[in-house]
Amino acid sequence: MDTYAETLKKKNGRKTKRKILMIQKSLNKIQFSETVSKSLCLLNFGHTTNASREKIFKIFEAFGRIQSITIIPNMSFSFVTLAEVCDAELAYNSLQGSEINIGFKQHLYLSYVDQDFDPQVLMNDDKKFATPEGLFLKEEFVSPSESCFLMNQIESARQKLIDENTDPLKHRSVFHFGYNFDYSTNDVDRRKPCPLIPEYLLELVKRMKVMNFVRFTPDQITVNIYEPGQGIPSHVDTHSAFEEDLVSLSLGSPVVMEFKHPDGKRCDVLLKERGRTRHSFTCGYT
């Protein structure tokens, strides 16, 4: 039977492998290594997750002299190189899977990179980091008080609908207003009645129309609720059942939304606390 430390090590290992694979799918230039080296990749702390040279320096300064810090534009990972291999190994063993406070709390995952790999080569690959065409991010669309109100209303609605209209999917809980979306067919099920879109959401839609985020009043809204640690794999939202405009309002904790294109382009967007690219890019949350 595994001890708690062994179980935690295995869990951290699985999460690290998943994050490496996600990065490698769009960026095969990064030479990850299982061999101890002076250079570390911060797999989930980068430009889009509010990283700065000062924050990274503060995390690693206790382990030895830092030679370089590289933050890749529009990506959720970064790199740090220490002067000595033993310093990097100590940092890795001390920080892997640990909780850090970067304005919000999150667990940090690390990987060694090949000692001959130069992160600066990624800085010149602009096409991989371009913001997807058609994507627009509006920060602070709702105020803090509006956010609290909306989350309370949504939680109240979930409690009322939990038996009849809430789908306990693997990665999240879901319920709908207007029309039900059937995930087994990836289409709207007009035969299954849903509650009407509430007035407090229609008021947000009116504001979106004034700001030209949408060109019509939607007749279907999906509410996704993610508990800590949950996410959703990359996907293209169904477009046969809906119009072109697609709006997502993020409430509660900050989260990184990943956009990936089959040709290798990738952009990680930080949806900040509170807080549309349609056919070609997939999107997912980590």
Side-chain angles (χ1 to χ4, degrees):
M1 185 174 179
D2 290 344
T3 64
Y4 174 76
E6 291 170 336
T7 301
L8 184 62
K9 185 176 180 180
K10 289 180 180 179
K11 180 181 178 181
N12 288 339
R14 290 193 298 269
K15 285 183 173 288
T16 298
K17 286 181 180 179
R18 284 201 298 269
K19 293 180 185 302
I20 289 174
L21 287 173
M22 289 169 62
I23 294 173
Q24 286 179 324
K25 284 181 180 179
S26 55
L27 286 172
N28 54 17
K29 290 183 178 181
I30 303 176
Q31 299 165 18
F32 293 104
S33 174
E34 295 184 1
T35 303
V36 178
S37 71
K38 296 189 295 184
S39 296
L40 295 166
C41 178
L42 289 67
L43 300 169
N44 61 329
F45 190 40
H47 180 234
T48 60
T49 49
N50 223 16
S52 67
R53 294 178 60 84
E54 292 76 15
K55 290 178 181 178
I56 294 175
F57 184 87
K58 188 174 181 179
I59 293 170
F60 286 89
E61 64 176 336
F63 300 101
R65 185 166 63 87
I66 297 171
Q67 283 190 334
S68 65
I69 294 172
T70 305
I71 298 176
I72 310 299
N74 297 322
M75 301 304 287
S76 60
F77 57 86
S78 57
F79 300 89
V80 61
T81 300
L82 285 88
E84 304 293 338
V85 172
C86 60
D87 295 338
E89 184 177 22
L90 178 60
Y92 179 92
N93 291 334
S94 301
L95 295 172
Q96 179 69 312
S98 66
E99 188 176 78
I100 59 173
N101 193 333
I102 51 174
F104 55 90
K105 291 182 179 180
Q106 75 168 34
H107 291 275
L108 179 65
Y109 296 98
L110 305 169
S111 173
Y112 294 110
V113 293
D114 190 276
Q115 61 181 4
D116 296 324
F117 173 69
D118 182 5
Q120 290 294 324
V121 301
L122 301 176
M123 303 293 281
N124 301 320
D125 200 356
D126 293 335
K127 81 178 185 74
K128 292 190 182 295
F129 311 123
T131 301
E133 182 180 357
L135 174 67
F136 179 77
L137 175 64
K138 172 63 177 175
E139 296 182 354
E140 299 183 357
F141 177 74
V142 295
S143 68
S145 60
E146 286 179 309
S147 177
C148 290
F149 170 78
L150 289 168
M151 287 191 289
N152 287 335
Q153 292 293 319
I154 288 169
E155 181 58 30
S156 176
R158 175 165 70 159
Q159 294 302 319
K160 292 177 182 177
L161 303 172
I162 196 163
D163 293 328
E164 54 184 291
N165 193 39
T166 303
D167 296 325
L169 301 181
K170 180 179 180 181
H171 301 286
R172 66 202 191 279
S173 296
V174 177
F175 62 89
H176 311 275
F177 293 111
Y179 292 100
N180 185 65
F181 187 83
D182 188 340
Y183 291 95
S184 64
T185 62
N186 281 332
D187 202 354
V188 169
D189 186 355
R190 298 179 182 274
R191 299 167 300 175
K192 188 173 181 180
C194 281
L196 297 176
I197 299 174
E199 187 62 32
Y200 64 86
L201 292 180
L202 291 176
E203 287 298 319
L204 291 180
V205 171
K206 291 177 184 177
R207 194 189 309 173
M208 292 175 184
K209 290 183 70 175
V210 170
M211 301 176 76
N212 293 320
F213 295 162
V214 293
R215 291 164 289 181
F216 57 90
T217 300
D219 57 7
Q220 196 273 351
I221 290 178
T222 296
V223 178
N224 294 287
I225 300 175
Y226 299 89
E227 302 296 340
Q230 290 184 327
I232 184 172
S234 292
H235 62 282
V236 176
D237 286 315
T238 301
H239 38 78
S240 58
F242 302 108
E243 300 289 346
E244 282 294 295
D245 297 345
L246 181 66
V247 177
S248 175
L249 176 63
S250 180
L251 301 171
S253 301
V255 68
V256 173
M257 193 172 190
E258 301 169 337
F259 293 90
K260 295 188 290 187
H261 193 279
D263 68 3
K265 293 179 182 177
R266 170 176 166 164
C267 179
D268 294 350
V269 177
L270 175 64
L271 305 180
K272 296 183 179 180
E273 191 168 358
R274 272 187 301 173
R276 66 185 189 190
T277 291
R278 197 65 175 105
H279 296 275
S280 300
F281 282 80
T282 61
C283 59
Y285 299 99
T286 58

